[in-house]
Amino acid sequence: MTYAKWGLVLMISLLLVGCWDQQEITDLASIAGLGFDVGSYPHTVRMSFMTSPPRAGLGGEGGDGSRLRVMTVEAGSFTEALILLQGHIRRQPFFLHLGFILFGEELAKSGLNGQIAALQGRSTIRGSVPIFVAQGTAEEILTARSGIGHAPGQDIADLLDNLAEAPLGRPTTIHNVRNVLGGLGSEITAPILELTPLRLQAGDEKPEVGLGLANEQLREVFVRRLAVFRRDRWVADFDQYLVQTFVLLTGTTKMGSLNITNPADPKSIMGIAIANFQARFEIKIEGDKVEVEILPRVKAIVREVSGSYILRDRGLEPIAQNIEQEVNRQVIAVMSFLQEQKADALGIGDMIRRQQPDVWARLEPRWGQLFPQITVSVNTEAEITSTGMLVRFFEIKRGE
Amino acid sequence: MSKVRVGLAQSTLALFVVTIGTVFFPVAGVVVPLAGASGWVAVLLAFFIALPWVYMATYVAGSATAPNWGQAVKAWLGPFVGRIFLMYFAFVWMWLGGLLLGQAGLVFHEMAMPRTPPIVLCFALLILVMRVGWHGLEVFVRTIEALAMFSILGLVGLLVGMLPLVRIDQLRPLIDAPPALIAHAAMFCLPWAMEGVLFALFIGVYARKRLGMGGYFAAAVGAAGFSLAFLTMMTVGVLGRGVTESYLYPTAILIQVALPGFFLEGVEMFMYPLWVVASYFKVGAAFIMVSESLAGVWQGFKQPYRTLLLGGVFMFIATRPRNIFELVASIGRVDNTFFMSFYFILPALALWVRVSRREE
């Protein structure tokens, strides 16, 4: 009986609490996405909050579709912005369900220091929240009404899921940013989100122009480039070709694609799928002279060939050699780009710190000058693991 | 006179969980700023250093003739010096216990319940501790058994959520700081190990069987050290050095970053009960040790007045720090001054008991 009484007390006590402490879910505005842009006045920041105000009898979504809204306020600090935001949404902003943070181009190019500090001070903002930068403003990306995603912002969540599978970008988080900025020897990179008018067909849209039911322009959020930072400033970006090589070198994904010249016909190309990419970095240091040898190992599948290539006659070796040459060229291009930008985004300095802490202690203060001068060599080893069971690729027979 | 007896396995389990206690939450934040990625080495080193003191404590506890803490201390040191020792022991644990009670309230308020004043949470935990303190050591040890089983679920949940997030490169180099800094970090862990040693001294008096007690207790304290070192390693592996060293309680931040799946937004549901349980282990142990020590000083100090008065004192101490920084600084003072003093007192006590035994 005593146990039953205590059990009852325990169960009743659970009914006394709200969704978060003493607050009911209807008192909270769960923020799904957060955007930062430069404000209209000096020393102000424009903050966009993507939220789904709850309604009686319904959850965040439901009824007549998405209820996600973007509220924008300008303030001198994040703390002030939250107060101002409450004036719009009449609920307390709640960040435990925050899905992503987006920095506008102008802000990211002028420095993220203040915003990263603001995010650190909120115990309800998880350090694992991913960070992106926007081509243009963050607000524009957040408010884009896309026909592909289920709701504004859903595109970004979908893209994020895909970054683990395809080498489209290297996702970063608040914690990564703080770890990187807290020491030398590595730099931040963040996927750049861009907008384009939607041209795809969907059931409730006018497909020929990409308009929604209310004639609003539907726009697609997409990612193809990667922003490279020097400390907290966005200084350059990888184009869509270099992104893939960079992402593979960092080990974020192991799969990708490669176009090489057909060894049998230099005018045509071969489409290669990279099934596994692993890179080893060997670093030799003598005084201030740093030599980095990058040793990628590629397992590849020959997927497509334009022109002729008879496997029985030529074998796989010429293809592997061309893959090795192409990977060497791309890796050198990535490293040259980073050295030119003085941004050690691959974390060569960090590698030295982990392998030779004493040497790093000596190099660290001058790493900014030393990184552009390091000598890089690449030696790729490629292995063809499959040709899709083909021995002879498709060829058009042409007469005279 | 109390006839309470505790089984060797029970007391070993109690020693293990009390030694870990709330240290589970700040450990990485204390060692990583000094020792970097090799913070876990510092934790292991400290608990390894403390092992001889565990054997000293079990040696002294093994010489107790009756299962009563107050009587045992007076038998070792005589009625006068014994009472002074008991008062010092009670003072140290009362201060630490009160502050840990305050810590439970303040941290819970900061992390999860910003609208609820910390005093409400302190009071809720205190009622639980007082009720168990009133019933005595045997009930406390039984609750530890039950809660340890309950905690296993939470710990497994945490491990499953955390392990995939560990990045081995963040744990390198293995020795990330000069030996002097690692030793310095280890020094900050020594009081935690001593808390375990003192609890071993206390609970050893009540052990039903004492054969092999030294080995069991050393294993418990060693396992606590190993667990804390593993946690430190995992914290740095997931959060990285920069993030770990910027928080007072990095374990709470560590738990926040695990994203086990779409439906289950986070694994905080495992963290909050663990925090309460860990606080209960340590504050409850402190309360019972203080209560038994005071009963040894003056036998007329009967229940329930002893529990009521102690509850008031614990609450008073818990509400003194005005913020989390004052609280952490106070805990640091108690640990690094008074608990460290037992690294000198305990060998002297063991020597005294040894000499007294020979004379007898």
Side-chain angles (χ1 to χ4, degrees):
Chain A
M1 191 56 196
T2 314
Y3 288 117
K5 271 196 287 187
W6 279 107
L8 190 66
V9 169
L10 188 68
M11 279 193 286
I12 291 173
S13 69
L14 293 177
L15 299 176
L16 296 176
V17 297
C19 169
W20 179 248
D21 194 0
Q22 297 169 30
Q23 290 167 287
E24 296 300 340
I25 194 165
T26 45
D27 298 332
L28 299 171
S30 191
I31 307 294
L34 181 56
F36 290 93
D37 286 302
V38 170
S40 325
Y41 300 97
H43 309 298
T44 61
V45 178
R46 188 169 173 82
M47 283 164 259
S48 306
F49 299 83
M50 179 181 279
T51 182
S52 173
R55 289 177 298 173
L58 287 174
E61 284 185 51
D64 54 353
S66 165
R67 281 186 40 76
L68 278 172
R69 299 286 180 266
V70 176
M71 309 275 182
T72 301
V73 291
E74 282 197 22
S77 69
F78 189 53
T79 310
E80 187 185 36
L82 295 185
I83 302 287
L84 296 175
L85 178 68
Q86 216 160 330
H88 291 274
I89 55 176
R90 299 177 291 280
R91 292 178 175 85
Q92 193 179 355
F94 183 67
F95 290 99
L96 267 181
H97 301 284
L98 184 63
F100 58 87
I101 295 168
L102 191 54
F103 293 102
E105 186 175 356
E106 195 182 342
L107 184 81
K109 285 182 174 171
S110 61
L112 301 180
N113 181 32
Q115 284 63 50
I116 296 295
L119 298 171
Q120 183 182 7
R122 300 269 152 191
S123 59
T124 49
I125 296 183
R126 295 172 203 273
S128 52
V129 174
I131 285 176
F132 297 89
V133 292
Q135 175 75 59
T137 67
E139 185 186 1
E140 203 181 7
I141 298 274
L142 283 176
T143 51
R145 184 76 181 84
S146 164
I148 295 180
H150 313 290
Q154 186 64 46
D155 286 345
I156 299 171
D158 289 347
L159 283 171
L160 188 65
D161 289 342
N162 278 281
L163 291 184
E165 301 296 328
L168 294 165
R170 183 197 194 191
T172 191
T173 63
I174 300 175
H175 277 170
N176 283 348
V177 169
R178 285 173 50 201
N179 278 324
V180 168
L181 294 182
L184 295 172
S186 183
E187 299 293 354
I188 311 166
T189 54
I192 303 170
L193 297 182
E194 296 176 61
L195 281 175
T196 185
L198 184 76
R199 295 292 177 201
L200 295 176
Q201 184 170 350
D204 60 348
E205 294 145 13
K206 297 173 186 171
E208 68 279 14
V209 287
L211 298 180
L213 285 176
N215 278 335
E216 76 275 25
Q217 176 65 58
L218 298 177
R219 286 183 294 175
E220 174 196 356
V221 178
F222 71 100
V223 62
R224 62 176 175 180
R225 293 182 300 139
L226 194 71
V228 178
F229 283 68
R230 196 181 308 136
R231 298 291 81 196
D232 64 330
R233 287 168 202 264
W234 172 6
V235 291
D237 45 79
F238 279 127
D239 63 24
Q240 56 193 318
Y241 305 106
L242 289 184
V243 165
Q244 181 174 201
T245 311
F246 175 78
V247 169
L248 288 169
L249 281 172
T250 60
T252 310
T253 55
K254 295 190 185 303
M255 291 174 291
S257 67
L258 195 68
N259 296 333
I260 59 164
T261 311
N262 182 346
D265 178 5
K267 287 179 190 163
S268 66
I269 59 151
M270 281 187 165
I272 305 292
I274 296 174
N276 191 294
F277 186 105
Q278 282 181 320
R280 202 154 48 86
F281 292 77
E282 284 192 358
I283 302 170
K284 287 179 197 155
I285 301 163
E286 276 175 28
D288 281 355
K289 196 179 172 200
V290 182
E291 287 177 20
V292 180
E293 189 181 9
I294 304 175
L295 303 161
R297 291 193 68 183
V298 181
K299 288 188 177 177
I301 302 168
V302 182
R303 288 288 186 207
E304 53 186 272
V305 175
S306 67
S308 170
Y309 192 89
I310 302 168
L311 287 166
R312 275 208 184 101
D313 297 346
R314 293 180 174 268
L316 296 171
E317 192 52 35
I319 303 177
Q321 280 175 3
N322 277 16
I323 291 175
E324 286 168 1
Q325 281 170 14
E326 182 59 20
V327 173
N328 286 351
R329 190 190 65 77
Q330 290 193 7
V331 173
I332 289 286
V334 166
M335 280 304 295
S336 305
F337 178 83
L338 291 176
Q339 285 183 287
E340 197 179 307
Q341 298 301 329
K342 297 180 183 170
D344 182 9
L346 270 174
I348 303 290
D350 243 2
M351 291 175 205
I352 299 173
R353 185 183 65 79
R354 287 197 295 270
Q355 291 164 13
Q356 304 174 56
D358 297 341
V359 176
W360 176 245
R362 182 168 56 80
L363 299 182
E364 187 180 9
R366 287 173 297 125
W367 187 240
Q369 289 104 54
L370 292 176
F371 176 71
Q373 293 163 14
I374 61 177
T375 314
V376 180
S377 60
V378 187
N379 189 4
T380 304
E381 244 179 69
E383 181 192 346
I384 310 288
T385 57
S386 168
T387 58
M389 294 200 285
L390 290 171
V391 290
R392 183 182 183 128
F393 288 98
F394 173 71
E395 184 187 5
I396 301 174
K397 196 165 257 182
R398 299 180 195 275
E400 283 302 315
Chain B
M1 187 189 290
S2 167
K3 295 284 181 196
V4 171
R5 287 285 193 187
V6 182
L8 193 54
Q10 279 178 315
S11 41
T12 304
L13 175 68
L15 177 58
F16 172 69
V17 299
V18 167
T19 307
I20 292 182
T22 46
V23 180
F24 188 73
F25 289 91
V27 58
V30 172
V31 292
V32 172
L34 284 167
S38 44
W40 62 276
V41 179
V43 179
L44 269 189
L45 180 67
F47 278 78
F48 181 75
I49 289 169
L51 287 182
W53 275 264
V54 181
Y55 280 100
M56 281 180 223
T58 48
Y59 170 73
V60 175
S63 68
T65 48
N68 182 300
W69 169 244
Q71 297 293 331
V73 172
K74 284 185 279 188
W76 298 330
L77 295 170
F80 181 70
V81 181
R83 280 190 169 86
I84 290 176
F85 179 88
L86 285 170
M87 280 196 286
Y88 183 66
F89 190 87
F91 162 73
V92 172
W93 275 104
M94 197 188 307
W95 197 356
L96 181 71
L99 290 173
L100 293 181
L101 183 70
Q103 177 184 254
L106 275 172
V107 175
F108 232 83
H109 170 74
E110 194 79 29
M111 292 294 300
M113 302 179 78
R115 293 255 172 134
T116 305
I119 196 168
V120 174
L121 302 158
C122 287
F123 190 68
L125 181 60
L126 183 65
I127 288 186
L128 190 68
V129 167
M130 282 171 68
R131 183 159 174 85
V132 175
W134 184 12
H135 286 289
L137 180 68
E138 204 172 354
V139 171
F140 176 62
V141 171
R142 283 184 188 175
T143 59
I144 282 180
E145 280 181 291
L147 287 171
M149 277 187 265
F150 164 76
S151 304
I152 285 171
L153 279 177
L155 287 170
V156 169
L158 285 184
L159 270 180
V160 170
M162 293 295 124
L163 279 177
L165 300 176
V166 173
R167 281 174 54 194
I168 300 292
D169 60 329
Q170 302 203 117
L171 292 168
R172 292 171 62 199
L174 198 63
I175 302 299
D176 193 20
L181 279 180
I182 295 178
H184 192 182
M187 213 177 73
F188 285 116
C189 305
L190 282 174
W192 299 331
M194 181 46 73
E195 289 164 16
V197 171
L198 293 182
F199 188 69
L201 175 68
F202 173 77
I203 205 164
V205 170
Y206 296 91
R208 197 172 288 126
K209 285 181 188 168
R210 288 168 180 168
L211 190 68
M213 189 164 73
Y216 275 92
F217 283 8
V221 174
F226 181 79
S227 307
L228 292 171
F230 179 71
L231 178 71
T232 306
M233 195 189 275
M234 212 157 70
T235 309
V236 179
V238 174
L239 298 182
R241 181 180 175 169
V243 173
T244 303
E245 63 188 18
S246 37
Y247 286 99
L248 286 170
Y249 299 94
T251 307
I253 305 303
L254 169 75
I255 294 168
Q256 247 192 1
V257 302
L259 291 172
F262 182 78
F263 174 71
L264 194 60
E265 190 74 30
V267 289
E268 285 104 325
M269 57 179 280
F270 296 116
M271 176 174 74
Y272 299 131
L274 266 182
W275 186 281
V276 176
V277 168
S279 299
Y280 167 77
F281 287 152
K282 203 88 178 199
V283 179
F287 196 92
I288 285 172
M289 282 189 274
V290 175
S291 177
E292 292 297 318
S293 298
L294 294 182
V297 173
W298 179 44
Q299 287 189 345
F301 200 14
K302 301 279 186 200
Q303 294 285 30
Y305 306 107
R306 199 166 73 221
T307 291
L308 288 171
L309 181 75
L310 271 185
V313 176
F314 267 59
M315 196 65 190
F316 177 76
I317 297 169
T319 49
R320 284 312 86 201
R322 284 170 299 177
N323 55 51
I324 204 109
F325 295 101
E326 279 189 19
L327 181 123
V328 170
S330 296
I331 293 176
R333 275 195 291 276
V334 183
D335 273 344
N336 297 320
T337 312
F338 297 108
F339 276 94
M340 286 299 273
S341 69
F342 282 98
Y343 277 100
F344 300 101
I345 295 172
L346 203 58
L349 176 64
L351 197 65
W352 180 257
V353 169
R354 175 91 177 154
V355 171
S356 310
R357 268 188 176 181
R358 277 200 177 166
E359 282 177 3
E360 280 170 17

